[in-house]
């Protein structure tokens, strides 16, 4: 893994990136990137693809080269340089059929022709696997400090650590007032009102992110299943080796040497273990295909999950070791030959040491199975709580998709707003549509455009809000008419934005409850005025008047502790093409997410929606079409995936434990057939015989359950970070899992015990 520090999830302005690249002592190389979307046309239907503008230095930071063609040159990484692009392996395969002559051809992105100069390898996915095209991003100091729009990735110098990089970057941030004296952030830092710290983390941590703990939990679950399976097989082979002691003695009496016996048992065990390994690999191949298909898209490097040569080598290597161990078990017994031959075939009981070993293995299976059952129970309860969370909108029969307008065709905000309005009108005319609207950002789609704000002090002067947040940021969302009604969002007070607000560009906004609580406290915000923050060198923007309050909706996850403060503004007063960055008030309306509320199931509406788009502009692409219900499901998909796998592991462990306990108890009953026959012949009550065997097995099960409860209680903190609404030591989960396991284990003991109680004394003694 390359030694890379990254600020992947903390956007930074281009001026700060240049400061890092030129002055950071701990960084050998720094690259910046800005993800986005563009419409790809030509060689097929219009398609909305994820793109990333990257600096030329990314090639050296990540030390990766194109599979075909070359990386960007110095003249292409300058303002006004040639328009070039590098394709992902996926886009090259899917849209261009892996054409080996792709280098030199041109593609059109947002109506701009770009020459293809390379194709990246299949394994390259930066900043994430969705990116299909990379383009050069020339950054110069002439652009000034800039907005927080870029991510950065850097390679550490030899001997430097992540902590060293953080300290180095913090020192550079502290010097921003002298480096960029005119910027808003620099002035804020100079006043000491907005402290800022670097967030440098390793590239591995940035890639794995929040799923690392879930992956470790899944790996631990697999390990527990493997341990239970090993304990099960070891117990059964221990019993089997005791049965075959007499066979070994007979073979030795007939002249078989120890080496010949080892070869015999090794061949027998190898046949069993290798056959099981082949079956296991086949089942694993099918299971991996199913899991990759059903896994959430947030799982990092999902497309790379597959069985490899290392997987096969590990499987068969472990099988060989197992075969050798099982083959050696019968030969490790040091019982005198004469004594073994004098023993009866079935009447000899095993030694106390072997009996204790079987009991320990049974208890271990019980304990491990209980640990997994408790973990799966906690995750199931968490998933139930998560799905009961009110998202603040009605998923119902709504369909959503995204449309981006090329800046070359729609060069200003008015043209973009008019185009979106025409699309809404066409969609409203569809007979299946019950309502249509649009917004720049929907719930559960991540953090939207954010900016700090000012409040009206009552004398037409702007004042910063009184809040305990060091740098309060508000999420601004531009919406079309009827957005709240189509989304099914509940109004709390005041009114929602009307068609007149959107059509006539009135400066009225709706805020969510979180905004009202954070910035107005107990006061009624209706009628109050706010303003979007801008550099002090510019006059303040027009005041925005709060006309309503709407319920909170989650931004990233259903389980997030509190929604972000949000402002909903008419798309006609937001930002858009042709507006300088310094004058940005809200999000860019070039790309909008449309919501169509259908009268019935919305899935079949996509062809009609595609025709409606074509009637407005045939070059527009329909992207990411899905139902709001699937958006809601996706918010809990990671927990659902983890829960399902742990529950499957718990079920397999319970089944293995059941088989193991039943097999060992049956073996004990078979070894004690003579004893049981004598007891029954002397008048023992069959129910007492069954109770005796059940009690002996039950003691082992209870002991294992006690150990399992203690282990589960101690280890429950491991999964606490992935739980929601459930305590890691929830009594109901622990009690349910214990009762289920003990009940199933006692059933496995009761079946052989019941069979023993029904033995005929005469037949039992005759067998002896």
């Amino acid at each position: 893994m390359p030694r890379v520090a990254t600020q992947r999830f903390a956007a930074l302005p281009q001026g700060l990136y240049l400061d890092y690249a030129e002055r950071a002592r701990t960084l050998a190389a720094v690259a910046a990137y800005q993800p986005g979307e563009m419409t790809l046309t030509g060689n097929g239907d219009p398609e909305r693809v994820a793109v990333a503008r990257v600096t030329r230095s990314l090639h050296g930071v990540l030390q990766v080269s194109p599979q075909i063609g070359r990386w960007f040159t110095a003249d292409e990484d300058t303002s006004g340089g040639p328009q070039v692009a590098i394709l992902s392996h996926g886009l090259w395969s899917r849209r261009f059929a892996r054409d080996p002559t792709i280098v030199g051809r041109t593609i059109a992105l947002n109506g701009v022709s770009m020459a293809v100069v390379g194709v990246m390898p299949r394994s390259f996915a930066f900043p994430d696997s969705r990116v299909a095209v990379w383009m050069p991003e020339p950054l110069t100091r002439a652009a000034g400090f800039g907005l927080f729009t870029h991510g950065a990735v850097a390679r550490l110098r030899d001997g430097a650590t992540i902590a060293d990089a953080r300290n180095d970057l913090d020192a550079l941030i502290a010097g921003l007032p002298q480096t960029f004296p005119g910027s808003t952030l620099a002035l804020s830092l100079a006043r000491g009102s907005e402290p800022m710290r670097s967030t440098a983390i390793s590239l591995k941590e940035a890639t794995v992110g929040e799923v690392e703990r879930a992956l470790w939990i899944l790996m631990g679950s697999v390990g527990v299943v493997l341990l239970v399976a090993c304990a099960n097989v070891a117990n059964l082979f221990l019993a089997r080796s005791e049965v075959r002691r007499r066979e070994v003695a007979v073979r030795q009496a007939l002249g078989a040497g120890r080496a010949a016996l080892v070869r015999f048992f090794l061949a027998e065990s190898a046949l069993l273990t290798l056959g099981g390994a082949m079956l296991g690999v086949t089942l694993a191949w099918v299971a991996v295909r199913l899991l990759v298909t059903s896994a959430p898209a947030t799982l990092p490097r999902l497309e790379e999950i597959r069985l490899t040569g290392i997987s096969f080598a590990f499987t068969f290597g472990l099988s060989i070791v197992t075969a050798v161990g099982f083959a050696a078990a019968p030969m490790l017994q040091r019982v005198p030959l004469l004594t073994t031959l004098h023993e009866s075939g079935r009447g000899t009981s095993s030694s106390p040491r072997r009996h204790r070993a079987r009991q320990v293995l049974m208890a271990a299976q019980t304990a491990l199975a209980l640990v997994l059952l408790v973990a799966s129970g906690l995750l199931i309860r968490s998933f139930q709580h998560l799905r009961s969370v009110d998202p603040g909108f009605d998923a119902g029969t709504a369909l959503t998709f995204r449309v981006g307008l090329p800046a070359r065709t729609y060069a200003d905000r008015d043209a973009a707003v008019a185009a979106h309005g025409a699309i809404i009108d066409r969609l409203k005319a569809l007979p299946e549509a019950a309502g249509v609207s649009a917004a720049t950002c929907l719930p559960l789609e991540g953090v939207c455009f954010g900016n700090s704000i000012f409040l009206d002090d009552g004398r037409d002067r702007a004042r910063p809000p009184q809040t305990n947040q060091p740098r309060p940021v508000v999420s601004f969302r531009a919406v079309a008419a009827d957005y709240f009604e189509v989304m099914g969002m509940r109004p709390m007070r005041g009114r929602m934005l009307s068609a007149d607000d959107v059509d006539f560009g009135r400066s009225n906004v709706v805020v969510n409850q979180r905004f009202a609580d954070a910035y107005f406290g107990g006061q009624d915000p209706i009628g109050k005025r706010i303003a979007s923050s801008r550099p002090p060198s510019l006059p303040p923007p027009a005041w925005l008047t709060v006309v309503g309050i709407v319920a909170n909706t989650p931004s990233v996850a259903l389980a997030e502790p509190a929604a972000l403060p949000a402002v909903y503004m008419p798309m006609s007063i937001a930002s858009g093409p042709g507006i300088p960055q310094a004058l940005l008030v809200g999000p860019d309306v070039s790309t909008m997410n449309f919501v169509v509320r259908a009268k019935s199931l919305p899935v079949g509406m996509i062809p009609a929606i595609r025709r409606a788009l074509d009637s407005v502009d045939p070059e527009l692409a329909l992207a990411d079409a899905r139902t709001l219900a699937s958006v809601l499901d996706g918010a809990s998909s990671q927990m659902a995936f983890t829960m399902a796998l742990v529950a499957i592991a718990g079920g397999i462990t319970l089944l293995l434990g059941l088989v193991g306990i039943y097999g060992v108890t049956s073996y004990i009953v078979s070894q004690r057939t003579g004893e049981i026959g004598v007891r029954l012949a002397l008048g023992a009550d069959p129910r007492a015989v069954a109770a005796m065997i059940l009690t002996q097995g039950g003691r082992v099960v209870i002991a294992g359950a006690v150990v399992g409860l203690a282990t589960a209680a101690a280890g429950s903190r491991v999964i606490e970070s992935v739980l929601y609404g459930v305590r890691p030591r929830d009594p109901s989960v622990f009690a349910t899992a214990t009762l289920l396991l003990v009940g199933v284990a006692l059933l496995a003991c009761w079946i052989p015990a019941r069979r023993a109680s029904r033995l005929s004394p005469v037949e039992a003694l005759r067998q002896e």
Side-chain angles (χ1 to χ4, degrees):
M1 172 62 69
R3 291 169 39 75
V4 176
T6 174
Q7 285 198 346
R8 181 171 177 177
F9 299 115
L12 75 166
Q14 59 186 32
L16 185 54
Y17 153 72
L18 293 170
D19 212 34
Y20 286 174
E22 296 171 3
R23 301 172 56 195
R25 295 176 290 102
T26 57
L27 305 181
V30 186
Y33 61 91
Q34 184 179 26
E37 282 188 344
M38 289 186 172
T39 301
L40 174 65
T41 54
N43 201 48
D45 294 332
E47 178 182 356
R48 196 72 176 168
V49 296
V51 302
R53 292 188 177 275
V54 300
T55 57
R56 191 171 68 95
S57 54
L58 183 68
H59 174 259
V61 171
L62 297 183
Q63 296 184 350
V64 63
S65 299
Q67 175 180 332
I68 299 176
R70 59 172 176 81
W71 190 250
F72 304 123
T73 60
D75 62 321
E76 293 166 347
D77 194 31
T78 58
S79 180
Q83 298 286 346
V84 295
I86 296 177
L87 307 183
S88 70
H89 190 280
L91 182 65
W92 175 55
S93 302
R94 173 173 48 82
R95 188 147 182 137
F96 300 97
R98 300 189 183 184
D99 182 3
T101 63
I102 187 67
V103 174
R105 292 179 54 182
T106 59
I107 60 174
L109 290 171
N110 280 2
V112 178
S113 295
M114 297 186 180
V116 177
V117 297
V119 176
M120 296 305 292
R122 183 195 301 272
S123 59
F124 185 75
F126 185 86
D128 57 59
S129 59
R130 297 173 300 171
V131 175
V133 180
W134 292 269
M135 298 171 293
E137 173 74 324
L139 297 179
T140 62
R141 285 194 174 272
F145 190 73
L147 298 175
F148 285 74
T149 54
H150 290 74
V153 61
R155 178 169 294 276
L156 294 172
R157 293 189 185 277
D158 292 339
T161 65
I162 297 293
D164 295 335
R166 291 195 189 102
N167 295 333
D168 188 15
L169 301 184
D170 285 343
L172 294 178
I173 292 173
L176 285 178
Q178 292 75 36
T179 308
F180 297 96
S183 67
T184 304
L185 180 60
L187 293 177
S188 299
L189 289 171
R191 294 195 303 266
S193 59
E194 295 187 358
M196 178 180 170
R197 296 289 182 269
S198 66
T199 56
I201 57 176
S202 68
L203 185 59
K204 176 183 176 181
E205 184 180 349
T207 301
V208 177
E210 298 178 354
V211 305
E212 181 177 10
R213 181 60 62 90
L215 293 177
W216 278 113
I217 291 172
L218 294 178
M219 183 177 293
S221 301
V222 173
V224 170
V225 173
L226 181 61
L227 287 176
V228 171
C230 289
N232 198 346
V233 173
N235 217 339
L236 294 176
F237 264 80
L238 183 63
R240 181 171 176 267
S241 66
E242 291 180 0
V243 173
R244 303 188 70 176
R245 282 192 305 170
R246 184 175 177 82
E247 176 188 345
V248 173
V250 170
R251 288 178 181 272
Q252 287 179 329
L254 294 176
R258 181 168 292 272
L261 290 174
V262 169
R263 288 195 300 270
F264 170 75
F265 287 114
L266 180 59
E268 184 182 58
S269 297
L271 183 63
L272 290 173
T273 54
L274 291 178
M278 293 179 64
L279 177 61
V281 167
T282 302
L283 294 176
W285 183 83
V286 176
V288 167
R289 297 290 296 270
L290 293 176
L291 291 177
V292 169
T293 302
S294 59
T298 54
L299 197 64
R301 304 177 71 171
L302 179 63
E303 66 282 352
E304 298 180 35
I305 298 177
R306 57 185 176 273
L307 292 181
T308 63
I310 297 178
S311 305
F312 290 105
F314 174 79
T315 301
F316 287 101
L318 185 61
S319 300
I320 292 173
V321 172
T322 306
V324 172
F326 289 159
M331 303 306 301
L332 294 177
Q333 304 177 62
R334 294 294 181 180
V335 180
L337 180 61
L338 187 60
T339 302
T340 305
L341 291 174
H342 284 172
E343 291 175 350
S344 63
R346 299 176 61 86
T348 304
S349 60
S350 60
S351 66
R353 186 175 63 180
R354 291 180 178 276
H355 183 65
R356 286 194 298 270
R358 285 196 300 267
Q359 289 181 328
V360 169
L361 289 172
M362 284 179 58
Q365 291 181 66
T366 304
L368 292 172
L370 184 57
V371 170
L372 270 189
L373 285 178
V374 168
S376 59
L378 290 173
L379 289 172
I380 290 172
R381 287 289 304 277
S382 296
F383 183 71
Q384 291 173 340
H385 281 285
L386 189 63
R387 292 311 303 263
S388 64
V389 172
D390 181 10
F393 62 92
D394 178 19
T397 59
L399 180 75
T400 177
F401 59 91
R402 190 168 55 255
V403 174
L405 304 176
R408 172 167 290 192
T409 306
Y410 304 90
D412 56 51
R413 179 180 61 189
D414 292 340
V417 170
H420 291 312
I423 294 173
I424 291 175
D425 291 339
R426 298 290 197 284
L427 295 176
K428 284 182 177 179
L430 298 177
E432 304 94 335
V436 182
S437 190
T440 52
C441 186
L442 297 179
L444 295 171
E445 295 227 326
V447 179
C448 309
F449 174 89
N451 204 354
S452 53
I453 62 165
F454 292 119
L455 304 180
D456 183 5
D457 66 354
R459 290 172 291 181
D460 202 32
R461 291 185 303 185
R463 66 170 177 84
Q466 300 298 320
T467 175
N468 57 4
Q469 299 181 46
R471 189 171 180 266
V473 175
V474 174
S475 173
F476 282 82
R477 309 179 184 194
V479 300
D482 304 324
Y483 172 74
F484 304 102
E485 292 79 6
V486 173
M487 286 290 296
M489 296 172 62
R490 299 188 306 276
M492 309 299 289
R493 291 198 300 278
R495 68 173 180 85
M496 301 296 98
L497 297 178
S498 65
D500 288 344
D501 291 323
V502 177
D503 293 342
F504 297 106
R506 295 172 178 170
S507 299
N508 296 327
V509 297
V510 171
V511 300
N512 66 351
Q513 187 65 54
R514 177 80 175 89
F515 182 96
D517 295 339
Y519 298 111
F520 291 98
Q523 299 181 10
D524 186 2
I526 304 299
K528 299 294 177 61
R529 299 192 302 175
I530 63 175
S532 177
S533 174
R534 294 198 299 175
S537 58
L538 296 175
W543 289 108
L544 306 173
T545 303
V546 179
V547 297
I549 303 175
V550 73
N552 297 329
T553 57
S555 301
V556 179
L558 286 172
E560 63 187 16
L564 291 174
V567 174
Y568 299 87
M569 59 173 54
M571 63 179 180
S572 50
I573 66 168
S575 302
I579 299 178
Q581 286 190 341
L583 299 178
L584 292 181
V585 176
D588 188 348
V589 296
S590 297
T591 300
M592 296 287 283
N593 295 274
F594 289 80
V595 181
V596 180
R597 178 73 61 179
K599 296 177 181 177
S600 58
L601 295 178
V603 179
M605 295 185 63
I606 294 179
I609 292 173
R610 175 69 262 177
R611 290 192 295 272
L613 280 181
D614 289 342
S615 66
V616 175
D617 186 342
E619 295 296 316
L620 296 180
L622 185 150
D624 204 16
R626 52 182 175 160
T627 62
L628 277 183
S630 66
V631 174
L632 198 57
D633 291 338
S636 57
S637 60
Q638 182 175 316
M639 178 175 286
F641 184 70
T642 306
M643 176 203 68
L645 292 187
V646 174
I648 291 172
I652 293 174
T653 305
L654 183 61
L655 178 61
L656 290 175
L658 172 64
V659 172
I661 293 172
Y662 172 80
V664 172
T665 306
S666 296
Y667 168 74
I668 293 174
V669 169
S670 68
Q671 291 296 97
R672 300 179 64 181
T673 299
E675 174 194 344
I676 294 172
V678 171
R679 288 177 181 272
L680 294 175
L682 293 177
D685 187 353
R687 289 177 296 182
V689 172
M692 175 188 66
I693 297 175
L694 183 61
T695 300
Q696 292 174 351
R699 289 173 183 169
V700 177
V701 169
I702 296 299
V706 171
V707 174
L709 280 175
T711 305
S716 58
R717 296 291 181 183
V718 175
I719 66 172
E720 183 176 10
S721 62
V722 300
L723 299 180
Y724 177 76
V726 179
R727 290 178 295 172
R729 297 177 181 176
D730 187 278
S732 62
V733 173
F734 275 69
T736 302
T738 304
L739 291 175
L740 174 62
L741 178 65
V742 171
V744 171
L746 291 179
L747 176 63
C749 294
W750 177 78
I751 294 175
R754 180 172 176 270
R755 186 174 65 247
S757 67
R758 294 187 174 186
L759 282 174
S760 168
V762 176
E763 292 297 326
L765 293 174
R766 180 178 295 135
Q767 292 180 23
E768 293 297 314

